[in-house]
Amino acid sequence: MRHTLWLSGLLWAAAWAQAPVSTIEPTTRAFSDWPYYGGDAGGKKYSGLAQITRANVDTLEIVWTFRTGETGAGYASAHKMTFEATPVFWRGALYFTTGFNKAFAVDARTGRQKWRFDAGIPKDEHYAEVASRGVSLWHDAGLPADAACAHRVFFGTLTGFVHTLDAETGRPCTEFGEQGRVNMTVDVRPTEPGEYTITSPPAILGDTIIVGSAIGDNGGVELARGIVRALDARTGKVLWAWDPIPKDAADPAYSTWQPGSAERTGASNAWAPLSVDTQNGLVFLPTSTP
């Protein structure tokens, strides 16, 4: 199966065709932007675009089609492959990922590929799932707007890494972690290859990116720990970490667990897209089963 991105092209092109120039100026935060997975940092999924209505939606036509070229050929987990990405939109481009962690920037007006990046994950691993719901964008207020990596794309991989790329060029921002990536499998407890993955885009709060994980749960007891971590968006340094399962006897929640069970079990991970309250400095974390 070839994965095709056409619906976004249809909607954005239709909106552009009818919108005044002021609403699509790439340097402004207008209604035509969709800079987060959920539309805004809080995940409201609301758009103020009004050109497409119930009265004209049946007249929309496809204006371009983009194919990622990903068929799953050569991957041991090809039978699990999905395409779940919600593109984000910024400066006239759509940014998204594929199940096997190829990242793309596509011109939203023409459907032309601007750049492509392959995270290069191993093809012979059996991954718990093959999904990637997309990317997050971050803008460095401390750099000139035209500086390298002043605008960054973040996404996770099926191997448990977080990558960051220059949104304009698709090149890794090498000052982040080790040559543009951070290994999030550190300190989560040993796990089988392919069981600890990152399938949702990080949440962005100020100069911090907050990352959960997807774990092959319900298949065992002693699984990887579902630790949620915040990273410095510039350097990749871990700023804080939180485990949904209490491991400290001083934690009030610890007493609600049967003796020894909190230390033994794992998972309870936050695999779904996260959202934040930027005004109050909060992140909302939906967790899975331990």
Side-chain angles (χ1 to χ4, degrees), residues 42-87:
K44 296 184 180 69
K45 300 183 179 179
Y46 171 78
S47 171
L49 290 171
Q51 292 89 357
I52 300 173
T53 69
R54 294 180 183 179
N56 64 22
V57 67
D58 62 337
T59 66
L60 295 179
E61 297 179 358
I62 297 174
V63 294
W64 56 257
T65 299
F66 178 83
R67 298 187 184 278
T68 67
E70 183 158 282
T71 64
Y75 287 93
S77 298
H79 62 290
K80 296 182 178 181
M81 186 176 68
T82 63
F83 185 76
E84 300 183 12
T86 295

Side-chain angles (χ1 to χ4, degrees), residues 220-245:
V221 174
E222 296 179 353
L223 296 173
R225 297 168 63 191
I227 301 172
V228 177
R229 281 165 287 194
L231 308 179
D232 185 292
R234 295 182 178 89
T235 67
K237 177 183 177 181
V238 177
L239 301 177
W240 56 257
W242 176 74
D243 193 332
I245 301 175

Side-chain angles (χ1 to χ4, degrees), residues 93-163:
L94 296 166
Y95 298 87
F96 58 94
T97 46
T98 65
F100 285 115
N101 303 140
K102 282 82 170 176
F104 291 86
V106 173
D107 187 305
R109 191 187 295 273
T110 66
R112 179 183 61 83
Q113 178 178 303
K114 297 184 66 175
W115 54 254
R116 175 186 184 274
F117 175 85
D118 186 349
I121 65 172
K123 293 186 174 183
D124 56 351
E125 298 290 1
H126 292 272
Y127 299 105
E129 62 176 307
V130 179
S132 180
R133 295 174 187 86
V135 308
S136 296
L137 292 170
W138 175 76
H139 309 285
D140 191 341
L143 289 177
D146 58 352
C149 289
H151 312 284
R152 299 189 181 194
V153 171
F154 290 96
F155 68 98
T157 70
L158 300 181
T159 51
F161 282 80
V162 172
H163 287 255

